[in-house]
Amino acid sequence: MNWTLEVVIVPVSDIDRAKEFYAERVGFAVDHDTDLGGVGRIVQLTPPGSGCSIVLGRGVVPEMPPGSLKGLQLVVSDLEKARAELVERGVEVGDIQVVGQNPRPVPHPLDNVGFVFFRDPDGNEWSVQQISSRA
């Protein structure tokens, strides 16, 4: 049995602002922007190379107020390059942090333990981790 994670709902207060942030600044592809006939709107975006998308919506999950999602994680093969791209696109992203120790010798010192962190305009929190062997 294969189980794949396809979508994560990201609660936001302003869909247009969030769509601009994720598409124009972070670089996610806009899969669709759907008006639900006056009862709402959802926007689905996918990070480059990912099998999982995010869905932006207001009121999509009532128990999740805007900015309440924490711990979303992206994986890249080159953290320094990814951080530089985010900075170039205008994302406020923290410095590279090393978290823990590598569990085994790897070709790059940031593999498995290198992270950067950023937030969307509502405060939803993301981390980006370097894992070059699987990104």
Side-chain angles (χ1 to χ4, degrees), residues 92-111:
E92 286 187 37
V93 59
D95 292 333
I96 292 174
Q97 298 180 30
V98 174
V99 179
Q101 295 179 333
N102 280 320
R104 62 191 182 289
V106 291
H108 193 283
L110 290 177
D111 276 347

Side-chain angles (χ1 to χ4, degrees), residues 3-8 31 44-54 74-75:
W3 300 52
T4 60
L5 180 63
E6 297 289 332
V7 172
V8 174
D31 300 324
Q44 183 170 337
L45 303 103
T46 303
S50 179
C52 184
S53 301
I54 63 170
L74 300 166
V75 172

Side-chain angles (χ1 to χ4, degrees), residues 83-134:
R83 183 183 183 283
E85 184 176 316
L86 289 170
V87 169
E88 183 178 309
R89 291 174 168 268
V91 176
E92 286 187 37
V93 59
D95 292 333
I96 292 174
Q97 298 180 30
V98 174
V99 179
Q101 295 179 333
N102 280 320
R104 62 191 182 289
V106 291
H108 193 283
L110 290 177
D111 276 347
N112 305 306
V113 296
F115 290 85
V116 294
F117 301 91
F118 69 92
R119 294 179 179 180
D120 74 8
D122 283 293
N124 294 299
E125 296 178 1
W126 291 81
S127 64
V128 183
Q129 179 186 22
Q130 178 168 313
I131 303 178
S132 63
S133 62
R134 146 173 95 89

Side-chain angles (χ1 to χ4, degrees), residues 6-60:
E6 297 289 332
V7 172
V8 174
I9 296 177
V10 177
V12 299
S13 60
D14 182 325
I15 293 175
D16 288 323
R17 179 182 71 178
K19 178 182 175 184
E20 186 276 333
F21 176 80
Y22 285 107
E24 302 303 320
R25 293 182 187 254
V26 183
F28 290 9
V30 177
D31 300 324
H32 62 84
D33 185 338
T34 304
D35 181 349
L36 301 174
V39 296
R41 175 175 161 217
I42 59 170
V43 177
Q44 183 170 337
L45 303 103
T46 303
S50 179
C52 184
S53 301
I54 63 170
V55 168
L56 307 175
R58 195 173 48 251
V60 177

